[in-house]
Structures are given as structure tokens and as C-alpha cells.
Amino acid sequence: MPGDAAPKGNGQKMRVIRVGTRKSQLARIQTDSVVAMLKACYPGLQFEIIAMSTTGDKILDTALSKIGEKSLFTKELEQALERNEVDLVVHSLKDLPTVLPPGFTIGAVCKRESPYDAVVFHPKHAGKTLATLPEKSVVGTSSLRRAAQLQRKFPHLEFKSIRGNLNTRLRKLDELQEFSAIILAAAGLQRMGWQSRLGQLLLPEDCMYAVGQGALGVEVRAKDQQVLELVSILHDPETVLRCIAERAFLRHLEGGCSVPVAVHTAVQDGQLYLTGGVWSLDGSDSLRETMQASVRCAAQLEDGPDDDIQRVGITARNVPRPAQVAAENLGIGLATLLLGKGARAILDVARQLNDAR
Ligand code: DPM
């Protein structure tokens, strides 16, 4: 193509940075926001956005937790990265497995937006809360994590799977008479510009959030030093540490999107707090614990030869390494504590029951 003269590969000259994205509106908005941040940091660079559909976008009639493929929304995009067709891909961090296929890394975790879940009500229930919805009202979510916690807390409600991208779900809520409300991530609602539909924000006592929820991750080729360097400017250190702890917790529990696992994290006065829990499918059985660790490390970065060590898939050279180690150990420690109290049995039963449904 004439005019497309930017050198490819590791050319030292200016190159066009090709950004892969899923086609859904939310994915496009997320990608555009990351590209806008990169453009602001590097006014001289050019970016090209390449949209593609993924398995997760194509299979619309099956609950996410039943498809079983971990890299549902990421595989096709990773293939494009591998084939050098794109240089970076923007994902919701919570959709990225805690173990990435070899050759890929999360080169940036952007500042987290709201990690909480939110309830969107059918217009006829505007102004209500989950507690005040009528007996046997049907609430749509295909997240086992949300259904388990909320079923326990609100036994008068029924939870039913709802699939499709955010536009489809909102349309199903408003147009069908099937659902009284649906549960969505507040961050997704906000990014779509639908704040006005946010009827109730679910705080941790009602529903803890998913690992990585509300944060965007930028996936790159692990060996592409140029792009890794370029995107690392986007890392938000506090978000990185929280998400390393959360992902280490999930990874050590061997949980995925097919089991009800939820977390809550905070950083205060140099301490990282991690609360994590596991639930049976109906929420009747559960375990929840909190641990903390110091992540107060002087801004010493300890650059070293093995600096590209990936912590739960994340490469964050500009975040102090001792703090990353502390965060990862905190996640492992909390998972070990819960496993010692019987988390394995709860998760195994949840997994079996879900597979049998
Ligand atoms: C994952 C789950 C869901 C998404 C499972 C969970 C929700 C599925 C559902 C792993 N990915 O949260 O327990 O409700 O049926 C997804 C959304 C976002 C990223 C939408 C949402 C936007 C928020 C973000 C789907 N992935 O959760 O409402 O960036 O964190």
C-alpha cells in the first residue's frame, strides 16, 4: 500500500504501532482510551487499530463458565501478536488468564477504575435495590461469582444466566420481561457512558469483585523490548501490586472463570490488604480471609539481568521488585490459608456441579 512506509519489526526508525482489539463496543472504547494515553505520551508516534472477533464473541448462547476455554477472548488476538500482525492488545485484565501462553506478557496495567459490581434495574423497578425487589424476581448474570455471593445474601431472588455483549444484555433487560435486573461491572457501565443506568453499587459486604476487575491490561510479545518499553509508561504501581496479589491468589487456588472466587484489595500506609473468598455455587458454603503485607519499598527499582521475570504474567520494570515479590507472596499466602481451611473441596464441588448443569 503506498504511504504505508513505516518499517516493520525492530526497525530503529519510527514505526506504526499496530493495536489489536475485539470488535465489541466496550473493547473498542477500552482500546481507544489506551491509544489516547499512548498518543499523549508519545505525540510523534502513529497508531493503527485493527479489530477482530474472538471465540468469546462468537459463542453467545453458552454461559462463559461452561465453555471451559480459558483464553476465550484472547486466543485470536494472541495469534495476531505472534504472527506480528499487531504489536499490542488491550484487554480487561480480568479476562486475561493468570498463566499466559509462552511468548506473551502483560506489559502494562493501567490505573484501576471502579472494581465494583453494579446492578442495572428494569425501568419498572427504577429506584429499587436488590433487597427491595419483589420475591422471586429474576436477576441476570452468568458469573458464578456474582450469583453465588448474591444468592446467599438475597435468598428471595432467582439468578439466571444472561449472555451477549453489554449492548445485548441491556437490550434483553429493557425489552424482554424476563429479568428484573442484571449485574454488570461498574467500570464497563462507566466506559460505555451508561452511568445513569447504575442503580446500585455492590460493596464488598454484598459482593466482592473478580480478580483484576476494573483494570485494563496491555498484552505484548514478551521479547519485543521496544514495545514493552513503550507501554510500560502506562503502569500504575498501586494497581499493579493489587492485581499481582489478586492474580497470585487465583492462580494458587487454581481458579478460573469457572469457579466462584472473589477478592478485595486496598493499599494504605505502605500496606497491601488482600481479602479473598471462595463460595459454593449457591453460596451456602464459603470461606473468606484477609491478610496484609508491607509493600513500602523505596523507589529503588533493582534493575538486574533477570528483570524480565513475569509475576503472574505481568512485566513491570518500573515497579520496585521487592514490592512485587511481597504482593505475589501475599496472594499465595492467602490461597494457602484458604486451602488449609478446605477451599479445595468447595471449589471442586462447584466445578463438578457447574460442569453437570
Ligand atoms: C469474566 C467474568 C465476566 C466477564 C466473570 C466474573 C462477567 C460475565 C457475566 C472473567 N469476564 O466477573 O465473575 O457477568 O456474565 C467482562 C466485563 C468486563 C470485562 C463485563 C462485566 C468489563 C469490566 C472490566 C466479562 N470482562 O463484568 O460486566 O474491565 O473489569
Side-chain angles (χ1 to χ4, degrees), residues 45 118 139 223 272 328-329 337 349:
L45 276 188
V139 177
K223 288 217 171 87
L272 173 59
E328 185 167 26
N329 287 337
L337 178 68
V349 172

Side-chain angles (χ1 to χ4, degrees), residues 191-229:
R191 290 176 196 141
M192 296 289 278
W194 296 341
Q195 297 86 333
S196 63
R197 291 301 304 269
L198 197 162
Q200 179 183 6
L201 196 64
L202 295 172
L203 295 176
E205 48 276 24
D206 288 333
C207 189
M208 294 204 298
Y209 44 81
V211 165
Q213 185 161 311
L216 297 180
V218 181
E219 191 178 20
V220 303
R221 287 179 293 274
K223 288 217 171 87
D224 194 337
Q225 297 300 332
Q226 211 183 2
V227 172
L228 206 47
E229 178 68 34

Side-chain angles (χ1 to χ4, degrees), residues 154-192:
F154 304 100
H156 69 295
L157 302 176
E158 281 178 17
F159 292 85
K160 261 191 81 176
S161 176
I162 181 168
R163 282 279 286 127
N165 61 38
L166 292 193
N167 306 69
T168 310
R169 290 183 195 205
L170 201 62
R171 190 164 38 77
K172 283 182 178 169
L173 171 69
D174 287 350
E175 291 177 9
L176 309 176
Q177 293 305 310
E178 191 179 357
F179 301 102
S180 299
I182 56 176
I183 315 292
L184 297 174
L189 274 179
Q190 275 155 9
R191 290 176 196 141
M192 296 289 278

Side-chain angles (χ1 to χ4, degrees), residues 26 30 64 73 92-95 141-146 162 166 169 183-185 187-188 191 210 212-216 257:
L26 180 65
Q30 295 181 167
L64 276 189
F73 293 112
S92 288
L93 188 65
K94 83 163 168 172
D95 293 328
T141 177
S142 52
S143 156
L144 301 179
R145 171 186 64 81
R146 291 170 179 155
I162 181 168
L166 292 193
R169 290 183 195 205
I183 315 292
L184 297 174
R191 290 176 196 141
Q213 185 161 311
L216 297 180
C257 65

Side-chain angles (χ1 to χ4, degrees), residues 7 125 138 143 157 170 177 188 222 240 243 253 258 264 283 294 296 341:
H125 292 300
V138 175
S143 156
L157 302 176
L170 201 62
Q177 293 305 310
V240 168
C243 291
L253 282 177
S258 57
H264 181 77
S294 171
R296 197 199 304 275
K341 291 177 178 258

